[in-house]
mmCIF file of all heavy atoms in Angstrom:
data_model
loop_
_atom_site.group_PDB
_atom_site.id
_atom_site.type_symbol
_atom_site.label_atom_id
_atom_site.label_comp_id
_atom_site.label_asym_id
_atom_site.label_seq_id
_atom_site.Cartn_x
_atom_site.Cartn_y
_atom_site.Cartn_z
ATOM 1 N N PHE O 97 -3.118 4.554 25.356
ATOM 2 C CA PHE O 97 -2.658 5.028 24.044
ATOM 3 C C PHE O 97 -2.105 6.446 24.157
ATOM 4 O O PHE O 97 -1.014 6.749 23.662
ATOM 5 C CB PHE O 97 -3.810 4.964 23.043
ATOM 6 C CG PHE O 97 -3.456 5.442 21.666
ATOM 7 C CD1 PHE O 97 -2.479 4.809 20.919
ATOM 8 C CD2 PHE O 97 -4.113 6.527 21.114
ATOM 9 C CE1 PHE O 97 -2.156 5.245 19.637
ATOM 10 C CE2 PHE O 97 -3.804 6.968 19.831
ATOM 11 C CZ PHE O 97 -2.822 6.333 19.091
ATOM 12 N N PHE O 98 -2.842 7.331 24.834
ATOM 13 C CA PHE O 98 -2.378 8.712 25.004
ATOM 14 C C PHE O 98 -1.060 8.747 25.772
ATOM 15 O O PHE O 98 -0.211 9.596 25.524
ATOM 16 C CB PHE O 98 -3.424 9.571 25.706
ATOM 17 C CG PHE O 98 -4.713 9.729 24.934
ATOM 18 C CD1 PHE O 98 -5.879 10.050 25.589
ATOM 19 C CD2 PHE O 98 -4.769 9.551 23.559
ATOM 20 C CE1 PHE O 98 -7.078 10.205 24.889
ATOM 21 C CE2 PHE O 98 -5.953 9.696 22.853
ATOM 22 C CZ PHE O 98 -7.112 10.022 23.520
ATOM 23 N N GLY O 99 -0.898 7.831 26.727
ATOM 24 C CA GLY O 99 0.346 7.752 27.491
ATOM 25 C C GLY O 99 1.543 7.376 26.641
ATOM 26 O O GLY O 99 2.682 7.682 26.993
ATOM 27 N N MET O 100 1.313 6.727 25.520
ATOM 28 C CA MET O 100 2.403 6.331 24.611
ATOM 29 C C MET O 100 2.785 7.446 23.642
ATOM 30 O O MET O 100 3.801 7.363 22.979
ATOM 31 C CB MET O 100 1.982 5.121 23.775
ATOM 32 C CG MET O 100 1.771 3.869 24.545
ATOM 33 S SD MET O 100 1.222 2.586 23.393
ATOM 34 C CE MET O 100 0.339 1.531 24.489
ATOM 35 N N MET O 101 1.951 8.476 23.561
ATOM 36 C CA MET O 101 2.158 9.527 22.568
ATOM 37 C C MET O 101 3.291 10.474 22.963
ATOM 38 O O MET O 101 3.492 10.753 24.138
ATOM 39 C CB MET O 101 0.884 10.365 22.402
ATOM 40 C CG MET O 101 -0.259 9.651 21.774
ATOM 41 S SD MET O 101 -1.681 10.771 21.742
ATOM 42 C CE MET O 101 -2.375 10.320 20.183
ATOM 43 N N SER O 102 3.952 10.989 21.943
ATOM 44 C CA SER O 102 4.953 12.035 22.155
ATOM 45 C C SER O 102 4.215 13.362 22.337
ATOM 46 O O SER O 102 3.017 13.462 22.057
ATOM 47 C CB SER O 102 5.872 12.126 20.936
ATOM 48 O OG SER O 102 5.142 12.600 19.804
ATOM 49 N N ASP O 103 4.936 14.380 22.786
ATOM 50 C CA ASP O 103 4.332 15.705 22.929
ATOM 51 C C ASP O 103 3.799 16.194 21.579
ATOM 52 O O ASP O 103 2.715 16.787 21.514
ATOM 53 C CB ASP O 103 5.345 16.712 23.478
ATOM 54 C CG ASP O 103 5.673 16.456 24.944
ATOM 55 O OD1 ASP O 103 4.874 15.784 25.622
ATOM 56 O OD2 ASP O 103 6.728 16.937 25.402
ATOM 57 N N GLU O 104 4.545 15.942 20.537
ATOM 58 C CA GLU O 104 4.120 16.355 19.193
ATOM 59 C C GLU O 104 2.813 15.661 18.788
ATOM 60 O O GLU O 104 1.914 16.285 18.228
ATOM 61 C CB GLU O 104 5.221 16.025 18.187
ATOM 62 C CG GLU O 104 4.933 16.469 16.777
ATOM 63 C CD GLU O 104 6.080 16.158 15.831
ATOM 64 O OE1 GLU O 104 7.230 16.502 16.163
ATOM 65 O OE2 GLU O 104 5.810 15.567 14.773
ATOM 66 N N GLN O 105 2.696 14.375 19.108
ATOM 67 C CA GLN O 105 1.468 13.645 18.795
ATOM 68 C C GLN O 105 0.289 14.164 19.617
ATOM 69 O O GLN O 105 -0.827 14.259 19.109
ATOM 70 C CB GLN O 105 1.668 12.147 19.032
ATOM 71 C CG GLN O 105 2.593 11.506 18.020
ATOM 72 C CD GLN O 105 2.986 10.097 18.415
ATOM 73 O OE1 GLN O 105 3.207 9.803 19.590
ATOM 74 N NE2 GLN O 105 3.082 9.219 17.423
ATOM 75 N N ARG O 106 0.530 14.519 20.874
ATOM 76 C CA ARG O 106 -0.548 15.068 21.701
ATOM 77 C C ARG O 106 -1.036 16.409 21.155
ATOM 78 O O ARG O 106 -2.234 16.687 21.150
ATOM 79 C CB ARG O 106 -0.090 15.223 23.150
ATOM 80 C CG ARG O 106 -0.083 13.912 23.905
ATOM 81 C CD ARG O 106 0.138 14.147 25.409
ATOM 82 N NE ARG O 106 0.610 12.921 25.990
ATOM 83 C CZ ARG O 106 1.894 12.629 26.215
ATOM 84 N NH1 ARG O 106 2.841 13.494 25.960
ATOM 85 N NH2 ARG O 106 2.235 11.462 26.734
ATOM 86 N N LEU O 107 -0.114 17.233 20.678
ATOM 87 C CA LEU O 107 -0.508 18.509 20.063
ATOM 88 C C LEU O 107 -1.333 18.261 18.800
ATOM 89 O O LEU O 107 -2.335 18.941 18.562
ATOM 90 C CB LEU O 107 0.728 19.347 19.735
ATOM 91 C CG LEU O 107 1.442 19.975 20.933
ATOM 92 C CD1 LEU O 107 2.750 20.631 20.495
ATOM 93 C CD2 LEU O 107 0.553 20.976 21.630
ATOM 94 N N ALA O 108 -0.924 17.289 18.013
ATOM 95 C CA ALA O 108 -1.686 16.945 16.802
ATOM 96 C C ALA O 108 -3.079 16.459 17.183
ATOM 97 O O ALA O 108 -4.070 16.790 16.519
ATOM 98 C CB ALA O 108 -0.945 15.890 15.986
ATOM 99 N N LEU O 109 -3.174 15.692 18.267
ATOM 100 C CA LEU O 109 -4.474 15.215 18.744
ATOM 101 C C LEU O 109 -5.357 16.383 19.168
ATOM 102 O O LEU O 109 -6.533 16.447 18.797
ATOM 103 C CB LEU O 109 -4.289 14.240 19.913
ATOM 104 C CG LEU O 109 -5.563 13.750 20.582
ATOM 105 C CD1 LEU O 109 -6.397 12.933 19.608
ATOM 106 C CD2 LEU O 109 -5.233 12.938 21.821
ATOM 107 N N ARG O 110 -4.794 17.329 19.917
ATOM 108 C CA ARG O 110 -5.577 18.504 20.324
ATOM 109 C C ARG O 110 -6.092 19.263 19.104
ATOM 110 O O ARG O 110 -7.241 19.697 19.074
ATOM 111 C CB ARG O 110 -4.731 19.426 21.205
ATOM 112 C CG ARG O 110 -4.571 18.919 22.609
ATOM 113 C CD ARG O 110 -3.877 19.944 23.498
ATOM 114 N NE ARG O 110 -3.352 19.266 24.661
ATOM 115 C CZ ARG O 110 -2.065 19.040 24.891
ATOM 116 N NH1 ARG O 110 -1.149 19.490 24.090
ATOM 117 N NH2 ARG O 110 -1.690 18.389 25.969
#
Side-chain angles (χ1 to χ4, degrees):
F97 179 62
F98 297 157
M100 294 178 205
M101 292 177 143
S102 67
D103 289 340
E104 183 178 310
Q105 290 169 322
R106 282 190 200 97
L107 287 173
L109 175 64
R110 284 187 199 108

